[in-house]
Amino acid sequence: MYIGKASQLSRRAFLNRTSQLAMIGTAGAYALDLAGINEAAAFSTQGDYKALVCVFLYGGNDHANTLIPYDSVNHASYSRIRRDVAIPRSALANSVLHLPDGQLLTDGQTMALAPTMPRLKARFDQNELAVLLNVGPLETPLTKAQYLNANTRAFPRPRKLFSHNDQQATWQSSGSTGNNSGWGGRLGDLAQSANSNAMFTAINASGNALFLAGNQTLPFSVTTQGVVQVNALKSNSLFRSTELSGALRDVILNHHQHVLEQDYAATMSRSLTYAPFVDDALKNSSVPAPVPSNSLSEQLSIVAKLIRARNQLGVKRQVFFVSIGGFDHHSNLVDAHGDLLGKVDAALDHFYETTKAMGLGDKVTTFTASDFGRSLTPNGNGSDHGWGGHHFILGGAVKGGRFYGKAPKISVEADDQVGRGRLLPSTSVDEYSTTLARWFGVSDSELASIAPNIGRFAFRDLGFMHTDREP
């Protein structure tokens, strides 16, 4: 849906809203009619709902065994390089992702999904799933020769490549290591002006993560059981002492000087303040049970409940974060990785079917991210840390059934790699994030606030979302 000029994201409107929220105070915000703050702000006149759901695969997903070359020539090259961790071609016959008319991939490749992902294969066939090839964090477009050049000022690249914590932060911030805000949180900064209750704009169902930390946005935390609560305060008794419980409440609710203490106190304070309100909304929000023994599906189930309760929560734009860990496969890659991908497949498909049943299949877009891809060359019976990787975008607004970006060569020496088959990204996280942001409703003039490096790249819109605005 096209978002007209009157309702595009306005920095002035956003700043007006946040200053008014500051004057009002957050303690009683949900009981107030904040919709009466009437800027001509983003999304406020359209009446529709949209949500983005980031599914983070912690540990570095092995992209080469997630999306496997199927044509005989490239599969032979893949098997020769991967040896014992290669998936046999005979196991891929039912997983082939057929190219749409007119689309050609590098070296004539055809690709198949991992055999444990039949549901997402079906979504691709139904044009509801898109594949983004070789995406990763970049500060500027970079060739292999530039990467090998010692002059990192002239040819910058993300710091501390191949490091889990650093690359998780770089992916989630869409910026340099050390950024204190994530691009999901910065989306929340802009989208708050669309919501009556701004504190429910960004919701984390997976513990702390940089992704949802904005410059103004503080993520609201939930668990698979509902709102995060402090049991000792809920019962007004800590070690059977009401005095200790009161002291803990003072520590949480009172002002603190240290920034980390402030953030923790603010998060816990909001949990205490809004828990009854959110719990009441969730009680009236029924969704299908999650996939059994699937922690990712349990997280997505609480996300679905919150989406169903959107009117009671007073929101029209939301960003969610969920995750699943265990992808650091230095050993036992084939079996352990296949099992994890099966859980992702079941959880994402079940969640998408739930949103469709709510009539929101085209209003909720789910996408994957990870620390990094992995090396094509095996590391024993596993693989090592890499850089670029492949990711999925799922939803009714997705231009699915297609590949986006550039397929890497099946090689360990090509110019799109930096050693051992570690992919040099051909698409940046900035381009990924701004494509999603434009669908979400962010005006072109605001894209740089979401993705600080976007001006250096060719595409602000990679084309995988249905939108009335041309890239």
Side-chain angles (χ1 to χ4, degrees):
M1 179 178 294
Y2 176 74
I3 306 297
K5 288 184 178 180
S7 59
Q8 287 179 351
L9 287 171
S10 161
R11 183 173 295 278
R12 182 174 63 184
F14 163 67
L15 293 174
N16 287 342
R17 169 62 64 84
T18 53
S19 66
Q20 287 167 312
L21 285 175
M23 289 185 289
I24 292 170
T26 59
Y30 74 77
L32 301 176
D33 181 14
L34 298 187
I37 302 174
N38 258 337
E39 311 94 336
F43 322 121
S44 61
T45 63
Q46 294 300 315
D48 63 338
Y49 173 86
K50 287 184 179 179
L52 286 168
V53 182
C54 177
V55 179
F56 206 88
L57 312 179
Y58 277 111
N61 181 43
D62 189 286
H63 62 278
N65 274 18
T66 303
L67 200 65
I68 305 106
Y70 180 72
D71 63 282
S72 58
V73 172
N74 285 291
H75 188 275
S77 297
Y78 156 87
S79 296
R80 191 164 49 249
I81 295 168
R82 295 228 104 181
R83 301 192 296 274
D84 292 342
V85 301
I87 297 177
R89 189 166 185 263
S90 59
L92 301 172
N94 295 324
S95 305
V96 179
L97 302 180
H98 297 287
L99 293 171
D101 291 343
Q103 183 164 46
L104 299 174
L105 300 182
T106 303
D107 295 335
Q109 293 179 52
T110 58
M111 293 186 174
L113 271 182
T116 55
M117 306 187 85
R119 300 169 187 84
L120 292 189
K121 194 272 188 205
R123 296 299 181 187
F124 184 90
D125 293 344
Q126 296 159 9
N127 299 330
E128 296 166 324
L129 178 84
V131 178
L132 182 57
L133 298 166
N134 193 13
V135 57
L138 289 167
E139 295 186 19
T140 188
L142 200 65
T143 66
K144 184 175 183 177
Q146 291 168 341
Y147 169 80
L148 295 173
N149 192 301
N151 188 349
T152 56
R153 285 194 174 184
F155 307 113
R157 72 289 311 272
R159 294 177 56 221
K160 299 183 180 178
L161 281 169
F162 319 125
S163 159
H164 285 292
N165 291 341
D166 295 288
Q167 294 315 299
Q168 289 165 13
T170 302
W171 246 101
Q172 293 180 27
S173 68
S174 192
S176 301
T177 303
N179 263 18
N180 58 5
S181 69
W183 56 271
R186 296 193 295 271
L187 273 171
D189 289 341
L190 297 174
Q192 283 188 54
S193 61
N195 295 332
S196 298
N197 285 330
M199 73 289 298
F200 303 127
T201 303
I203 296 183
N204 191 329
S206 184
N208 293 327
L210 177 62
F211 179 73
L212 288 181
N215 296 310
Q216 306 293 332
T217 297
L218 182 67
F220 191 89
S221 293
V222 297
T223 71
T224 56
Q225 304 303 312
V227 182
V228 176
Q229 298 201 38
V230 181
N231 291 332
L233 299 185
K234 186 177 179 181
S235 63
N236 290 316
S237 176
L238 176 61
F239 300 118
R240 299 182 180 180
S241 169
T242 55
E243 290 80 6
L244 286 176
S245 181
L248 178 59
R249 183 181 295 274
D250 287 341
V251 169
I252 291 175
L253 296 181
N254 288 341
H255 179 73
H256 296 269
Q257 295 298 320
H258 193 282
V259 64
L260 294 179
E261 291 177 335
Q262 291 174 22
D263 286 347
Y264 178 77
T267 299
M268 297 308 299
S269 174
R270 293 203 312 165
S271 177
L272 290 171
T273 302
Y274 301 122
F277 174 65
V278 177
D279 282 343
D280 183 62
L282 290 175
K283 286 177 184 177
N284 299 315
S285 180
S286 177
V287 300
V291 177
S293 303
N294 189 317
S295 63
L296 179 59
S297 185
E298 290 171 359
Q299 293 170 54
L300 289 169
S301 181
I302 195 69
V303 169
K305 286 184 178 182
L306 291 162
I307 290 173
R308 184 175 283 282
R310 63 196 179 280
N311 293 331
Q312 191 169 345
L313 294 177
V315 288
K316 292 184 178 179
R317 288 295 185 277
Q318 289 184 287
V319 187
F320 295 92
F321 183 87
V322 298
S323 71
I324 180 171
F327 283 88
D328 192 20
H329 291 122
H330 291 279
S331 62
N332 194 29
L333 171 63
V334 174
D335 291 337
H337 184 244
D339 181 63
L340 274 179
L341 291 182
K343 291 181 182 297
V344 172
D345 178 74
L348 266 59
D349 182 76
H350 183 272
F351 176 68
Y352 178 51
E353 195 61 35
T354 300
T355 64
K356 289 176 68 177
M358 288 191 280
L360 297 173
D362 62 342
K363 303 299 183 183
V364 180
T365 298
T366 305
F367 62 96
T368 63
S370 188
D371 315 18
F372 36 63
R374 302 186 75 87
S375 62
L376 188 60
T377 300
N379 176 20
N381 64 346
S383 58
D384 211 344
H385 302 176
W387 190 354
H390 309 322
H391 286 287
F392 303 123
I393 309 98
L394 174 66
V398 175
K399 294 180 183 177
R402 296 188 64 88
F403 296 87
Y404 295 84
K406 185 178 181 181
K409 288 180 173 291
I410 308 302
S411 169
V412 294
E413 299 175 347
D415 287 342
D416 56 7
Q417 296 159 37
V418 294
R420 300 182 58 201
R422 291 166 159 165
L423 299 184
L424 172 61
S426 52
T427 297
S428 71
V429 174
D430 289 70
E431 293 169 297
Y432 192 11
S433 65
T434 55
T435 304
L436 292 166
R438 292 185 89 245
W439 171 79
F440 199 58
V442 176
S443 65
D444 290 347
S445 63
E446 293 284 7
L447 291 178
S449 69
I450 305 300
N453 299 315
I454 192 60
R456 300 172 181 169
F457 294 97
F459 300 103
R460 62 187 180 186
D461 192 328
L462 297 167
F464 56 74
M465 298 299 298
H466 287 285
T467 175
D468 291 334
R469 289 181 290 168
E470 292 298 322

